[in-house]
Amino acid sequence: MANEVTFSGSSAETIELAKSFWKSIQPPPAPKSTLFVSGLNHRLPTASVIHNGFSLSDQSSRSVVNDGNFLGLQRHLEDAKKRKEREEAEYIQKMTSHREEVQQTLAQRKAERLKKEEISHRRQRDDFLDMSESSEEDEEAAEAMAELDRFEEILKQKEAL
């Protein structure tokens, strides 16, 4: 009688609300797991033991080792290993050739860029030389530019060494 509660002098609606409140505070027990069913054998069957002490699975693995299939298996594994090594070598060669192509392309672009820079520097010098008004200034400027060109050539030769 300790678990039973009575409501006297209350309306039916209030009684229903009170019952639902108490049920929410004390929920029913959680259902048991149905993953394991009692009465059933949950273990997988194993190979039976033969009277000489070895199971059927041991005998089947020994027959593969002693059989002619083992030699075929060995050949297959060796062929697979050789094929894998050959594919790795081809991949490495392919990556090396790709890298060399990229380096050649970059070298060509660099050479083209340097030629364009050299041409643009020469145009700037030519424009500068055209600005002078007298022939003496032109000759002096041409000599100065020639000296600068010789100096740049000497620097390039030193860098090449």
Side-chain angles (χ1 to χ4, degrees), residues 31-46:
K32 292 184 179 180
S33 173
T34 57
L35 295 176
F36 187 84
V37 179
S38 61
L40 290 178
N41 187 5
H42 291 276
R43 295 189 60 153
L44 293 173
T46 57

Side-chain angles (χ1 to χ4, degrees), residues 120-137:
S120 68
H121 287 301
R122 286 185 184 169
R123 285 184 185 165
Q124 290 173 356
R125 289 180 191 163
D126 293 343
D127 294 340
F128 178 73
L129 290 175
D130 290 340
M131 293 177 140
S132 64
E133 296 176 5
S134 68
S135 62
E136 289 179 8
E137 290 178 3

Side-chain angles (χ1 to χ4, degrees), residues 29-91:
K32 292 184 179 180
S33 173
T34 57
L35 295 176
F36 187 84
V37 179
S38 61
L40 290 178
N41 187 5
H42 291 276
R43 295 189 60 153
L44 293 173
T46 57
S48 59
V49 177
I50 301 178
H51 37 60
N52 65 359
F54 296 107
S55 68
L56 291 173
S57 61
D58 291 336
Q59 283 184 349
S60 64
S61 63
R62 261 193 250 131
S63 68
V64 169
V65 171
N66 295 333
D67 214 358
N69 292 336
F70 182 69
L71 296 175
L73 177 63
Q74 273 186 326
R75 273 188 252 121
H76 175 72
L77 292 176
E78 289 173 2
D79 290 342
K81 185 177 178 182
K82 288 178 185 177
R83 192 176 328 126
K84 181 180 177 184
E85 290 173 355
R86 186 174 52 246
E87 288 173 355
E88 287 175 354
E90 289 174 358
Y91 177 76

